[in-house]
Structure formats: C-alpha cells, structure tokens
Amino acid sequence: MMDIATYSEIEVRRISTAVGAEIGGIDLSRELSETAMREIDDAYRRYSVIFFRDQALTPEQHIAFAERWGSININRFFKPLDGYPMVAQVIKEPDQKDNIGGDWHTDHSYDQVPAMGSILYALEVPEVGGDTLFSSMYLAYESLSDGMKAMLQGLKAWHSSRHVFGASIADDEYTKDGRIGNADNATQDALHPVVITHPLTGRKALYVNKDFTVRFDGWTVEESKPLLEYLYAHGTRPEFTCRFQWRPGSVAFWDNRATWHYAMNDYHGHRRIMHRITLEGAALS
Ligand code: SIN
C-alpha cells in the first residue's frame, strides 16, 4: 500500500477506527486521472468501504466509474433501471414494510465467484434514518482466539440464494412489488472457505454471513447453527463497525470480501431510492 501522506489528488477522512473513510476532492462524473484512481484504490484496500459526498451521476457516469474497476455483474434478482441492465434499483416506497439488505450480509456470496464490491449511489433518502452500517471482517477474524482461528482454518461453508430470492419467498412482499424477482435464478449454491485470504490485500478475513451462509461443509444445518450464530454476533461487535448517514448524491463503494453491511429499516412512510452497481470478483481461497 501507499504511504497515505503521499495522496495528492484525494482527501481522506476516516469515519471510524475500524472501517470506512470519506474521500474528498473527487468528482466521480468526470474521467479520473490514473493518480486519482491509484489513490482511491489504495483507500479502498486500506479502509474497505469508501464514501463520496455531493456527487451528481447519470447512469452512464455511474457505469463508467464502475468499469474503471472491472467487469459489472448483472444482478439477476433486483429490478434494473429502465434501459440500464447493469444498474440495479434498491428502492423502498413509503407504503412498503420490508427493505432490501436489512440484515447483516455481504453481496453475492451465493455466487461461485462472489462480487468484488458494490457501488451504491443515493438519489432520494429520508431526512433521517436509512443509514447503512458496515463491519470489518478483517477485525472479526483477527480478534478471534488462536483456538477458534485454528478450528475455522480449512473449513468451508455453503452459501445460497434460495431462501432469500428463491421460489419459497415467491409470494412475499419483495416479489409482489417487483423489486425482487426471478426466483428461477436462485438455483445454485456455492462453497467458499470460512477464512479467506483477501485477493487484493493478502489479509485474512472471515467469510460467512447471516443472510446467505447455510451450513459448514460436511456439517448439518443444526450442527452449524451455534457456531455460525457465534460468528454473526462476534462479527457485529460495535468496535468493528461504522455507520454511514446518506444524503442525496452520496456514494458508497464497499469491498464485499472484507465487510458485511446492514441497511437500517427505520424510515417507514418515507421513500429511499438508490442505484447499485456490483463488480465481478475473483475466486476465493
Ligand atoms: C444492499 O444491501 O446492497 C443495500 C444497502 C443499502 O441500501 O444501504
């Protein structure tokens, strides 16, 4: 990583000691210089989720920024923005009860090759509420005892989209209002190491999550549950987290291999409209 004192095109303000930093001095609607990209990349690796304020992005500009990082994953469950299959809509209307992402998770862990990161852009947010929490899976792993680390090392876990997006929830509010659909796509499960070596940083991180992990490989669901629940509680200790308050024009770019996130559902009666682009990742080991 770079020495942060050498940043010349970005300003960085950490929002917690664990994870997350706001990046200033950048207009994401413009083509960024190689230096700016290198510095943003360094901050992304270092802080695992980076935030930008006061941006004004057309879908084309959002896509152009995302494509500087790699290929875009076309979301197979979320309703896309009309005419832009690469841009998924994350919407909660005033009369809706459930939100998207309202529990701790990491995006796309149910894919064989899980997503690298997600870039979420806020168009309309409530005056108060609708914050997003992030937790560092580096700290979650590093703070485990040597005994627990030894037990988890070499374990693999199954991740699935079936119970979240599949046919069994076909009739619930999510699918009825069209925000989430394509239950037929929720057919594949994926097996990943419980402790991964992060492909970009080389640091070890905990890689299970409450929404999508179903069991350890070779263990039953019942046998897996107590240990998974311990890890879920451990992984959300407040000292591993940060909390981001959105404003219209805010952008969050998070690392799905190094963090969990949780979209607060505390703004009933208000509208929240976000555009999300998800980036393809690399096989995990
Ligand atoms: C998500 O889980 O991708 C949505 C996060 C949010 O809306 O804050």
Side-chain angles (χ1 to χ4, degrees):
M1 279 193 232
M2 301 165 69
D3 177 346
I4 54 171
T6 63
Y7 289 166
S8 59
E9 296 203 14
I10 65 171
E11 295 138 25
V12 175
R13 188 181 70 82
R14 296 172 71 186
I15 69 164
S16 86
T17 54
V19 64
E22 281 195 24
I23 308 295
I26 288 293
D27 177 352
L28 297 178
S29 70
R30 294 170 179 269
E31 183 167 340
L32 300 177
S33 69
E34 288 303 323
T35 304
M37 285 296 294
R38 208 166 39 249
E39 293 179 3
I40 294 169
D41 181 50
D42 186 82
Y44 176 76
R45 292 174 192 226
R46 195 181 288 274
Y47 304 115
S48 303
V49 51
I50 52 178
F51 307 101
F52 304 84
R53 294 288 192 188
D54 304 320
Q55 303 293 319
L57 293 180
T58 62
E60 287 83 0
Q61 289 163 339
H62 192 175
I63 291 168
F65 175 63
E67 284 181 332
R68 295 288 300 268
W69 302 96
S71 310
I72 292 174
N73 173 289
I74 303 213
N75 193 294
R76 52 192 200 279
F77 301 118
F78 291 3
K79 190 174 179 182
L81 188 62
D82 277 349
Y84 299 94
M86 292 174 176
V87 183
Q89 300 189 87
V90 177
I91 297 181
K92 184 178 175 222
E93 294 288 357
D95 62 346
Q96 287 173 332
K97 187 165 58 66
D98 294 331
N99 70 338
I100 291 175
D103 208 343
W104 286 104
H105 68 285
T106 185
D107 299 333
H108 293 225
S109 72
Y110 47 78
D111 284 341
Q112 307 299 321
V113 180
M116 163 200 173
S118 302
I119 305 174
L120 190 67
Y121 171 53
L123 284 97
E124 187 175 338
V125 292
E127 182 74 25
V128 61
D131 298 350
T132 306
L133 281 60
F134 295 87
S135 189
S136 167
M137 290 304 104
Y138 293 136
L139 295 186
Y141 172 74
E142 287 160 9
S143 58
L144 292 169
S145 67
D146 289 344
M148 180 64 89
K149 284 179 184 157
M151 187 171 78
L152 298 180
Q153 197 63 46
L155 263 186
K156 291 188 172 182
W158 286 97
H159 299 244
S160 180
S161 57
R162 294 169 205 258
H163 57 291
V164 182
F165 301 122
S168 62
I169 58 120
D171 278 340
D172 81 3
E173 186 205 359
Y174 278 169
T175 45
K176 273 191 195 140
D177 64 27
R179 285 180 303 167
I180 292 187
N182 302 323
D184 293 350
N185 287 336
T187 51
Q188 274 192 330
D189 295 346
L191 187 62
H192 302 300
V194 170
V195 177
I196 59 163
T197 300
H198 193 287
L200 296 178
T201 63
R203 285 175 76 182
K204 286 188 175 181
L206 186 63
Y207 196 77
V208 288
N209 71 92
K210 193 170 174 202
D211 263 3
F212 300 121
T213 307
V214 286
R215 64 182 176 86
F216 297 112
D217 189 37
W219 300 29
T220 66
V221 170
E222 292 72 24
E223 287 167 342
S224 306
K225 200 167 171 213
L227 179 52
L228 285 174
E229 283 187 350
Y230 170 77
L231 295 172
Y232 300 153
H234 170 77
T236 55
R237 275 168 46 180
E239 60 270 30
F240 304 156
T241 69
C242 73
R243 179 172 183 144
F244 185 64
Q245 290 183 300
W246 296 91
R247 299 197 297 256
S250 301
V251 173
F253 177 16
W254 62 83
D255 183 331
N256 278 309
R257 287 93 50 114
T259 59
W260 291 341
H261 58 280
Y262 181 117
M264 294 283 295
N265 189 12
D266 58 350
Y267 55 96
H268 303 306
H270 300 273
R271 179 175 287 116
R272 185 175 182 271
I273 300 184
M274 326 286 274
H275 288 173
R276 195 181 92 183
I277 295 184
T278 302
L279 295 163
E280 297 282 13
L284 296 176
S285 58

